[in-house]
């Protein structure tokens, strides 16, 4: 992977992250500055082609390329989901071309993890879809992953919990924003269910109980800095967060987002019960576990209501059934790889 976009000293052939980070820095340019820099069609084509080469290398298993790909996508998503303190390239057409290539390659890579035979097993009867999806989830490694059922529950140290919270920030830290993005364009019972879920995330109007505020207490308890949050996530954690943002921000992947959120909500109560057990085993401050304690009960209700009020009404359309299954499998597969990875990080620490 060579490039003339930046000086040869960047050595992009051996360190794709260096070029990814340079592009990430350009996100702080204004839209006009970014457009002017890539006004030469050949330069923009070279940039998009490099991103494509990055995706090809990532699909082939190149760990450096996988990280650079997801790091760059996460930095771009931050431009689209966080209020800026200065100029950004958010509206740039050139940036959109880069973003779409990153997204398309990520989608292609995740689809490659799915056995097409699973789609053939989707029931024709819409009423049978939810039981089928739950059975599919129960059979997946991610359903009762040993990271939660054994490691966090019975063996994790306080430092292991710190690492857990750091990586969970990729999704849990802004779950309310995902719901806000997701509800755009919906109506009826589906919109009301998303709204109820969102209002619960808002602490039902109590600022002290807003779930992002509660998660922030965990961040503060462990002294995790904004620099760590931006720079210390694994490829798998970045991917998990990126997939959630991608599916929730685009209207044509709404059904995939429904599947991803269905699995997320359904797995959360059991997972968080193990987190609570491990937290109490270590005698850590009770105030730090409020977020997970609340979600044990809340997400059990959300999962049931989500299947009833969002998933089930969509299953009359066979295209929705396939898309919901696709999003659920993306969540299960990435969760499994993420948890395998974090167990490895703990073992290596």
């Amino acid at each position: 992977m060579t490039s003339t976009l930046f000086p040869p000293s960047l050595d992009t052939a051996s360190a794709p992250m260096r070029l990814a980070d340079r592009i990430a820095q350009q996100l702080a340019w204004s839209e006009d500055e970014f457009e002017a820099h890539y006004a030469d069609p050949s330069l923009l084509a070279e940039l998009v082609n490099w991103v494509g080469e990055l995706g090809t290398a990532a699909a082939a298993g190149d760990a450096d390329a996988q990280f650079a790909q997801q790091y760059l996508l996460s930095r771009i998503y931050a431009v689209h989901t966080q209020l800026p303190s200065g100029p950004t390239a958010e509206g740039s057409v050139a940036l959109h071309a880069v973003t779409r290539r990153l997204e398309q390659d990520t989608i292609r890579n995740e689809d490659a993890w799915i056995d097409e035979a699973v789609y053939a097993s989707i029931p024709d009867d819409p009423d049978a879809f939810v039981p089928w999806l739950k059975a599919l989830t129960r059979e997946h490694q991610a359903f009762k992953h040993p990271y939660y059922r054994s490691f966090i529950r019975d063996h994790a140290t306080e430092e292991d919990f710190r690492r857990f919270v750091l990586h969970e920030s990729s999704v849990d830290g802004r779950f309310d924003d995902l719901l806000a993005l997701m509800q755009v364009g919906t109506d009826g019972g589906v919109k009301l269910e998303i709204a109820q879920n969102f209002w619960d995330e808002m602490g039902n109007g109590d600022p002290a109980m807003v779930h992002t505020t509660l998660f922030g207490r965990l961040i503060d308890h462990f002294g995790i800095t904004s620099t760590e949050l931006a720079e210390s996530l694994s490829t798998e954690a970045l991917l998990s967060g990126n997939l959630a943002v991608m599916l929730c921000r685009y209207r044509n992947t709404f059904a995939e987002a429904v599947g991803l959120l269905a699995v997320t909500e359904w797995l959360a109560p059991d997972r968080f019960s193990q987190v609570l057990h491990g937290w109490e085993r270590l005698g850590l401050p009770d105030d730090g576990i409020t977020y997970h304690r609340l979600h044990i009960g809340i997400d059990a209700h959300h999962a049931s209501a989500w299947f009833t009020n969002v998933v089930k009404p969509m299953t009359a359309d066979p295209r929705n059934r396939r898309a919901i299954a696709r999003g659920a499998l993306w969540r299960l597969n990435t969760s499994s790889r993420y948890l395998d990875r974090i167990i490895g990080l703990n073992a290596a620490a």
Side-chain angles (χ1 to χ4, degrees):
M1 294 172 59
T2 60
S3 176
T4 58
L5 286 169
F6 301 106
S9 61
L10 286 172
D11 192 18
T12 59
S14 61
M17 183 57 200
R18 294 184 184 182
L19 183 51
D21 192 51
R22 182 65 66 89
I23 298 168
Q25 292 175 31
Q26 295 174 352
L27 299 176
W29 294 351
S30 71
E31 174 186 333
D32 290 342
E33 289 173 320
F34 200 93
E35 287 290 294
H37 185 78
Y38 291 105
D40 183 342
S42 63
L43 188 61
L44 178 58
E46 185 178 355
L47 173 59
V48 174
N49 287 339
W50 178 83
V51 172
E53 291 176 10
L54 192 68
T56 299
D62 185 320
D64 289 339
Q66 289 170 347
F67 181 81
Q69 179 191 61
Q70 296 307 315
Y71 169 82
L72 180 55
L73 187 55
S74 73
R75 292 294 299 272
I76 292 171
Y77 281 163
V79 170
H80 290 287
T81 60
Q82 297 176 12
L83 296 178
S85 57
T88 75
E90 181 179 7
S92 166
V93 175
L95 179 59
H96 181 70
V98 172
T99 305
R100 286 306 292 153
R101 188 58 189 263
L102 287 166
E103 291 171 336
Q104 289 162 354
D105 288 343
T106 296
I107 288 171
R108 182 195 65 206
N109 292 348
E110 285 314 305
D111 278 341
W113 284 90
I114 298 176
D115 183 351
E116 285 289 321
V118 173
Y119 293 134
S121 71
I122 296 174
D124 293 329
D125 179 3
D127 290 337
F129 180 78
V130 169
W132 173 87
L133 184 61
K134 289 182 176 180
L136 181 72
T137 302
R138 289 191 188 97
E139 294 168 2
H140 200 283
Q141 182 195 16
F143 183 62
K144 298 288 185 182
H145 197 282
Y147 178 77
Y148 286 101
R149 301 293 291 183
S150 175
F151 182 77
I152 279 288
R153 177 184 174 86
D154 298 322
H155 305 289
T157 65
E158 184 168 1
E159 182 59 29
D160 294 328
F161 265 91
R162 186 182 192 277
R163 193 171 296 110
F164 163 73
V165 170
L166 173 63
H167 284 78
E168 287 292 291
S169 68
S170 65
V171 175
D172 283 5
R174 302 303 303 179
F175 193 76
D176 54 349
D177 286 344
L178 297 179
L179 292 168
L181 289 169
M182 195 176 179
Q183 66 84 35
V184 174
T186 61
D187 53 27
V190 171
K191 195 178 195 78
L192 287 173
E193 184 56 45
I194 297 173
Q196 182 59 60
N197 200 323
F198 178 79
W199 191 237
D200 284 342
E201 290 290 326
M202 292 293 98
N204 294 293
D206 182 351
M209 297 303 290
V210 171
H211 291 190
T212 51
T213 300
L214 296 178
F215 193 85
R217 293 181 193 171
L218 279 167
I219 298 291
D220 293 341
H221 169 77
F222 288 110
I224 297 172
T225 66
S226 57
T227 300
E228 285 183 283
L229 290 173
E231 299 179 359
S232 300
L233 296 178
S234 66
T235 301
E236 293 77 10
L238 289 170
L239 172 60
S240 295
N242 287 341
L243 274 178
V245 174
M246 183 197 308
L247 297 186
C248 291
R249 75 189 289 249
Y250 288 107
R251 298 304 79 205
N252 64 352
T253 55
F254 176 77
E256 281 89 350
V258 166
L260 183 142
L261 267 293
V263 168
T264 300
E265 299 276 23
W266 201 43
L267 294 180
D270 181 70
R271 288 182 168 188
F272 288 178
S273 292
Q274 314 313 320
V275 172
L276 177 60
H277 186 281
W279 189 274
E280 292 177 340
R281 169 178 55 81
L282 291 171
L284 297 175
D286 189 66
D287 183 59
I289 201 63
T290 303
Y291 175 87
H292 291 87
R293 182 180 284 115
L294 278 175
H295 275 264
I296 293 170
I298 289 174
D299 282 350
H301 169 73
H302 283 170
S304 176
W306 196 263
F307 282 121
T308 300
N309 300 323
V310 181
V311 176
K312 192 171 182 179
M314 297 177 64
T315 57
D317 188 333
R319 294 171 300 180
N320 283 341
R321 296 199 293 273
R322 180 184 174 93
I324 291 169
R326 186 190 192 197
L329 286 165
W330 282 357
R331 168 60 178 169
L332 291 167
N333 291 337
T334 55
S335 177
S336 184
R337 299 193 322 262
Y338 160 72
L339 294 173
D340 287 346
R341 170 67 168 165
I342 198 171
I343 283 182
L345 290 173
N346 285 316

Short mmCIF file of all heavy atoms in Angstrom, two decimals, residues 20 23 32 44 80 134 148 154 159 164 206 209 219 267 302 309 336 342-343:
data_model
loop_
_atom_site.label_atom_id
_atom_site.label_comp_id
_atom_site.label_asym_id
_atom_site.label_seq_id
_atom_site.Cartn_x
_atom_site.Cartn_y
_atom_site.Cartn_z
N ALA A 20 -3.80 7.05 7.94
CA ALA A 20 -5.15 7.18 8.49
C ALA A 20 -5.20 8.32 9.51
O ALA A 20 -6.15 9.10 9.54
CB ALA A 20 -5.60 5.87 9.13
N ILE A 23 -5.12 11.73 7.75
CA ILE A 23 -6.44 12.08 7.21
C ILE A 23 -7.37 12.49 8.35
O ILE A 23 -8.14 13.46 8.23
CB ILE A 23 -7.04 10.90 6.43
CG1 ILE A 23 -6.15 10.56 5.24
CG2 ILE A 23 -8.46 11.21 5.97
CD1 ILE A 23 -6.50 9.25 4.58
N ASP A 32 -14.66 23.85 3.23
CA ASP A 32 -14.05 24.47 2.06
C ASP A 32 -12.58 24.09 1.94
O ASP A 32 -12.08 23.84 0.82
CB ASP A 32 -14.19 25.99 2.12
CG ASP A 32 -15.63 26.45 1.92
OD1 ASP A 32 -16.43 25.65 1.40
OD2 ASP A 32 -15.94 27.60 2.30
N LEU A 44 -8.14 13.01 -5.20
CA LEU A 44 -9.26 12.40 -4.49
C LEU A 44 -9.37 10.93 -4.87
O LEU A 44 -9.61 10.07 -4.00
CB LEU A 44 -10.56 13.13 -4.82
CG LEU A 44 -11.83 12.54 -4.18
CD1 LEU A 44 -11.72 12.51 -2.67
CD2 LEU A 44 -13.06 13.35 -4.61
N HIS A 80 -19.54 13.66 12.77
CA HIS A 80 -20.97 13.68 12.47
C HIS A 80 -21.85 13.57 13.72
O HIS A 80 -23.05 13.85 13.64
CB HIS A 80 -21.32 12.54 11.52
CG HIS A 80 -20.80 12.73 10.13
ND1 HIS A 80 -21.33 13.64 9.24
CD2 HIS A 80 -19.77 12.13 9.48
CE1 HIS A 80 -20.64 13.59 8.10
NE2 HIS A 80 -19.70 12.68 8.22
N LYS A 134 -34.52 -15.62 18.25
CA LYS A 134 -34.05 -15.90 19.60
C LYS A 134 -33.28 -17.22 19.66
O LYS A 134 -32.25 -17.33 20.34
CB LYS A 134 -35.23 -15.92 20.57
CG LYS A 134 -35.83 -14.55 20.85
CD LYS A 134 -36.96 -14.63 21.86
CE LYS A 134 -37.50 -13.26 22.22
NZ LYS A 134 -38.61 -13.33 23.21
N TYR A 148 -18.11 -12.81 30.13
CA TYR A 148 -19.06 -12.39 31.17
C TYR A 148 -19.33 -13.50 32.17
O TYR A 148 -19.29 -13.28 33.38
CB TYR A 148 -20.37 -11.94 30.53
CG TYR A 148 -20.31 -10.61 29.85
CD1 TYR A 148 -20.19 -10.53 28.46
CD2 TYR A 148 -20.36 -9.42 30.57
CE1 TYR A 148 -20.13 -9.29 27.82
CE2 TYR A 148 -20.31 -8.19 29.93
CZ TYR A 148 -20.18 -8.14 28.55
OH TYR A 148 -20.12 -6.91 27.93
N ASP A 154 -16.20 -13.90 38.02
CA ASP A 154 -15.46 -14.61 39.06
C ASP A 154 -13.97 -14.30 39.15
O ASP A 154 -13.34 -14.65 40.15
CB ASP A 154 -15.62 -16.13 38.87
CG ASP A 154 -17.06 -16.58 38.98
OD1 ASP A 154 -17.78 -16.03 39.84
OD2 ASP A 154 -17.48 -17.47 38.20
N GLU A 159 -8.42 -3.58 37.71
CA GLU A 159 -7.82 -3.11 36.46
C GLU A 159 -8.51 -3.72 35.25
O GLU A 159 -8.69 -3.07 34.22
CB GLU A 159 -6.32 -3.45 36.43
CG GLU A 159 -5.59 -2.96 35.19
CD GLU A 159 -5.67 -1.45 35.00
OE1 GLU A 159 -5.79 -0.71 35.99
OE2 GLU A 159 -5.62 -1.01 33.83
N PHE A 164 -12.52 -2.99 30.80
CA PHE A 164 -13.88 -3.29 30.33
C PHE A 164 -14.66 -2.00 30.08
O PHE A 164 -15.28 -1.83 29.02
CB PHE A 164 -14.58 -4.16 31.37
CG PHE A 164 -16.08 -4.22 31.24
CD1 PHE A 164 -16.68 -4.94 30.22
CD2 PHE A 164 -16.90 -3.55 32.15
CE1 PHE A 164 -18.06 -4.99 30.10
CE2 PHE A 164 -18.28 -3.60 32.04
CZ PHE A 164 -18.86 -4.32 31.01
N ASP A 206 -34.96 12.91 34.79
CA ASP A 206 -34.10 13.25 35.93
C ASP A 206 -32.66 13.38 35.43
O ASP A 206 -32.05 12.37 35.06
CB ASP A 206 -34.20 12.16 37.00
CG ASP A 206 -33.36 12.47 38.23
OD1 ASP A 206 -32.56 13.44 38.20
OD2 ASP A 206 -33.48 11.73 39.23
N MET A 209 -30.03 10.93 36.51
CA MET A 209 -30.21 9.52 36.15
C MET A 209 -30.11 9.28 34.65
O MET A 209 -30.39 8.17 34.19
CB MET A 209 -31.56 9.02 36.68
CG MET A 209 -31.68 9.06 38.19
SD MET A 209 -30.37 8.10 39.03
CE MET A 209 -30.89 6.43 38.61
N ILE A 219 -16.57 6.11 34.05
CA ILE A 219 -15.37 6.68 33.44
C ILE A 219 -14.57 7.45 34.48
O ILE A 219 -13.34 7.31 34.59
CB ILE A 219 -15.76 7.60 32.27
CG1 ILE A 219 -16.50 6.83 31.16
CG2 ILE A 219 -14.54 8.32 31.71
CD1 ILE A 219 -15.68 5.86 30.41
N LEU A 267 -29.33 -9.35 25.16
CA LEU A 267 -28.15 -9.90 25.83
C LEU A 267 -27.77 -9.11 27.09
O LEU A 267 -27.14 -9.66 27.99
CB LEU A 267 -26.96 -9.90 24.88
CG LEU A 267 -27.01 -10.82 23.66
CD1 LEU A 267 -25.72 -10.68 22.85
CD2 LEU A 267 -27.22 -12.27 24.07
N HIS A 302 -37.10 -3.60 27.81
CA HIS A 302 -36.89 -3.06 26.47
C HIS A 302 -36.82 -4.17 25.44
O HIS A 302 -37.39 -4.04 24.34
CB HIS A 302 -35.58 -2.26 26.43
CG HIS A 302 -35.69 -0.91 27.04
ND1 HIS A 302 -34.59 -0.12 27.27
CD2 HIS A 302 -36.75 -0.19 27.48
CE1 HIS A 302 -34.97 1.02 27.83
NE2 HIS A 302 -36.29 0.99 27.97
N ASN A 309 -43.06 -4.71 19.64
CA ASN A 309 -43.54 -3.47 19.03
C ASN A 309 -42.72 -2.97 17.85
O ASN A 309 -43.18 -2.08 17.12
CB ASN A 309 -43.61 -2.37 20.09
CG ASN A 309 -44.54 -2.72 21.23
OD1 ASN A 309 -45.60 -3.33 21.02
ND2 ASN A 309 -44.16 -2.36 22.45
N SER A 336 -18.81 -11.37 19.60
CA SER A 336 -18.00 -12.55 19.92
C SER A 336 -16.52 -12.25 19.71
O SER A 336 -15.68 -12.56 20.57
CB SER A 336 -18.44 -13.73 19.06
OG SER A 336 -17.73 -14.90 19.41
N ILE A 342 -10.93 -8.93 24.06
CA ILE A 342 -10.71 -8.30 25.36
C ILE A 342 -10.23 -9.31 26.40
O ILE A 342 -9.46 -8.98 27.30
CB ILE A 342 -11.99 -7.54 25.83
CG1 ILE A 342 -11.62 -6.53 26.93
CG2 ILE A 342 -13.08 -8.46 26.28
CD1 ILE A 342 -12.74 -5.59 27.29
N ILE A 343 -10.65 -10.57 26.26
CA ILE A 343 -10.08 -11.61 27.12
C ILE A 343 -8.59 -11.73 26.87
O ILE A 343 -7.79 -11.83 27.80
CB ILE A 343 -10.77 -12.97 26.88
CG1 ILE A 343 -12.14 -13.00 27.58
CG2 ILE A 343 -9.91 -14.12 27.40
CD1 ILE A 343 -12.87 -14.31 27.43
#
